[in-house]
Amino acid sequence: MRKLMIFTLGFAMACALCAYLLPQTWIIRITVFSALLSGMLLFLDRDLKGSKNVALIFVGCSLGLLWYSGFRHFVLNPAQQLDGEIRTVTVRTADYSRETEYGISAEGTLRLNDRKYRVQLYLNSREPMPPAMEITGSFRFSFTAPQEDPDFRHSGDGIFLIAYQKGDKTYEPAEETVWQDRVAVFRRNILMTIQSVFPEDVSSFAQALLLGDTSADTDLKISGIRHVVAVSGLHVSILMALLTTVTFRKKILMIPLGMGGLMLFAALAGFTPSVVRACVMSALLLISMLFNREYDGATALSFAALAMLLQNPLVIASVSFQLSAASVAGIYLFSEKIRNWMLLRMEPDKKKKHLRKLVRGFAFSISVT
């Protein structure tokens, strides 16, 4: 059995319990219980089938509970102290603003206790804000942590504070620009190019399909099919196929270009959980090629999930993360069985090579879907 996959399963279970169910006061008690249970299982008779795997799940669960407890103390608690408070602060915009019903919204960053926090800003004015603008004013803060924000949308994306403008504001360009500002400008230029190239009735759909930008496509939101254009593994697969083609499968070109391309695409797509998962797995594929090692999809998925949970345990509550990880897990579990079942009933005689290839391609596509 794959040990990393089993460990990650326990770690993810712990994060999910903390995000959805466990109060803070219960975390340490459950951690001690889980650690004791894993210790008992490790010392059981070796002939007891599955005891080591179950023990490894509880080890992952124990460490996941400890990791979440530390994350709560050092990262979430300082942000929670601002919940419901009105403070005068300076927020630096990280992307272009978007219009809302009452003004504009923009994602920004706020320094709090020498730590940088991502903040969702809601401003009363209609004046658009570019990235790298420092906005100073009075804001009422809302904490988006688990069991308080019903849809987990913000905390799953790493945004733990929402700031609502409550007074006058001043703003000025930041003294220095960072790489995220350049990515935001590049992304904006791509979206504007798409808008100018495509007809008006399909430009917003093209923007959503290529970069996941659904800010202007209200039809997708109203109909409930916004997930159809979510940037995910399919986009990354197309990107990797393109890089493979232009580099003629030469490792010396494909690996550095692939790593750079994955990083840039993830940044352009906003580092959403589904994109990060796909890019990490693709990067592991490139690394396995570099060292001539076998690539294991289940282990790569486990590594990507664990890395994301270590960075933000609340990503477990993100629908984007859940659907992305579950869909890939479903492919690994069932697609081969479905494909073999289809080929057993559909595959033509070996003499019909072209028809055989067509049927195999069809079976592969259907089984993955």
Side-chain angles (χ1 to χ4, degrees), residues 60-97:
C61 188
S62 302
L63 293 177
L65 290 166
L66 284 174
W67 186 265
Y68 182 90
S69 183
F71 186 83
R72 177 89 196 193
H73 178 76
F74 291 106
V75 179
L76 296 182
N77 285 350
Q80 189 173 13
Q81 293 176 5
L82 289 180
D83 188 37
E85 297 285 325
I86 297 178
R87 301 280 184 90
T88 300
V89 296
T90 298
V91 180
R92 189 186 191 280
T93 57
D95 203 347
Y96 287 91
S97 61

Side-chain angles (χ1 to χ4, degrees), residues 246-260:
V246 299
T247 58
F248 303 102
R249 295 183 179 271
K250 301 292 184 181
K251 292 183 181 180
I252 194 170
L253 296 174
M254 185 177 174
I255 292 173
L257 287 177
M259 289 293 190

Side-chain angles (χ1 to χ4, degrees), residues 221-267:
K221 301 173 186 175
I222 293 171
S223 61
I225 58 171
R226 182 177 177 178
H227 62 278
V228 171
V229 294
V231 177
S232 58
L234 178 61
H235 296 73
V236 177
S237 299
I238 295 171
L239 174 64
M240 292 299 294
L242 178 63
L243 288 171
T244 301
T245 302
V246 299
T247 58
F248 303 102
R249 295 183 179 271
K250 301 292 184 181
K251 292 183 181 180
I252 194 170
L253 296 174
M254 185 177 174
I255 292 173
L257 287 177
M259 289 293 190
L262 290 171
M263 184 66 182
L264 178 60
F265 184 75

Side-chain angles (χ1 to χ4, degrees), residues 42-284:
L42 285 172
F43 284 101
L44 284 177
D45 185 3
R46 293 184 179 181
D47 294 333
L48 185 60
K49 188 177 180 180
S51 63
K52 296 297 186 290
N53 292 333
V54 176
L56 190 56
I57 289 178
F58 279 102
V59 169
C61 188
S62 302
L63 293 177
L65 290 166
L66 284 174
W67 186 265
Y68 182 90
S69 183
F71 186 83
R72 177 89 196 193
H73 178 76
F74 291 106
V75 179
L76 296 182
N77 285 350
Q80 189 173 13
Q81 293 176 5
L82 289 180
D83 188 37
E85 297 285 325
I86 297 178
R87 301 280 184 90
T88 300
V89 296
T90 298
V91 180
R92 189 186 191 280
T93 57
D95 203 347
Y96 287 91
S97 61
R98 297 177 176 180
E99 289 191 8
T100 65
E101 187 175 352
Y102 302 103
I104 60 172
S105 70
E107 187 178 315
T109 57
L110 168 68
R111 283 218 165 263
L112 185 64
N113 295 344
D114 295 326
R115 182 184 292 273
K116 188 181 291 186
Y117 286 84
R118 293 172 63 191
V119 181
Q120 187 68 39
L121 279 174
Y122 287 93
L123 305 175
N124 299 330
S125 64
R126 293 283 181 183
E127 184 180 359
M129 289 286 170
M133 294 294 293
E134 293 184 344
I135 303 173
T136 304
S138 295
F139 297 92
R140 179 176 64 82
F141 287 93
S142 177
F143 185 51
T144 67
Q147 303 174 25
E148 296 179 33
D149 182 16
D151 62 1
F152 292 97
R153 179 168 58 89
H154 291 99
S155 55
D157 289 337
I159 298 175
F160 305 125
L161 287 169
I162 302 177
Y164 302 92
Q165 183 184 344
K166 287 297 178 183
D168 294 334
K169 70 176 188 306
T170 60
Y171 56 90
E172 60 181 2
E175 294 182 359
E176 297 180 357
T177 58
V178 294
W179 66 269
Q180 291 94 331
D181 301 328
R182 299 185 182 92
V183 170
V185 173
F186 187 32
R187 172 186 170 88
R188 177 80 166 188
N189 291 338
I190 294 174
L191 293 175
M192 295 300 292
T193 301
I194 294 172
Q195 193 172 3
S196 63
V197 170
F198 287 89
E200 184 178 354
D201 58 339
V202 296
S203 62
S204 57
F205 181 76
Q207 290 174 347
L209 193 62
L210 294 173
L211 290 177
D213 183 85
T214 57
S215 58
D217 205 328
T218 55
D219 290 339
L220 292 173
K221 301 173 186 175
I222 293 171
S223 61
I225 58 171
R226 182 177 177 178
H227 62 278
V228 171
V229 294
V231 177
S232 58
L234 178 61
H235 296 73
V236 177
S237 299
I238 295 171
L239 174 64
M240 292 299 294
L242 178 63
L243 288 171
T244 301
T245 302
V246 299
T247 58
F248 303 102
R249 295 183 179 271
K250 301 292 184 181
K251 292 183 181 180
I252 194 170
L253 296 174
M254 185 177 174
I255 292 173
L257 287 177
M259 289 293 190
L262 290 171
M263 184 66 182
L264 178 60
F265 184 75
L268 289 172
F271 289 108
T272 59
S274 58
V275 170
V276 172
R277 189 275 310 158
C279 287
V280 170
M281 292 184 67
S282 297
L284 290 175

Side-chain angles (χ1 to χ4, degrees), residues 252-319:
I252 194 170
L253 296 174
M254 185 177 174
I255 292 173
L257 287 177
M259 289 293 190
L262 290 171
M263 184 66 182
L264 178 60
F265 184 75
L268 289 172
F271 289 108
T272 59
S274 58
V275 170
V276 172
R277 189 275 310 158
C279 287
V280 170
M281 292 184 67
S282 297
L284 290 175
L285 175 61
L286 292 174
I287 293 173
S288 68
M289 292 172 56
L290 178 64
F291 292 100
N292 294 318
R293 295 298 182 93
E294 183 180 355
Y295 175 79
D296 181 69
T299 302
L301 174 61
S302 303
F303 180 88
L306 183 60
M308 295 169 69
L309 289 168
L310 289 172
Q311 194 271 332
N312 175 20
L314 292 180
V315 76
I316 193 69
S318 167
V319 175

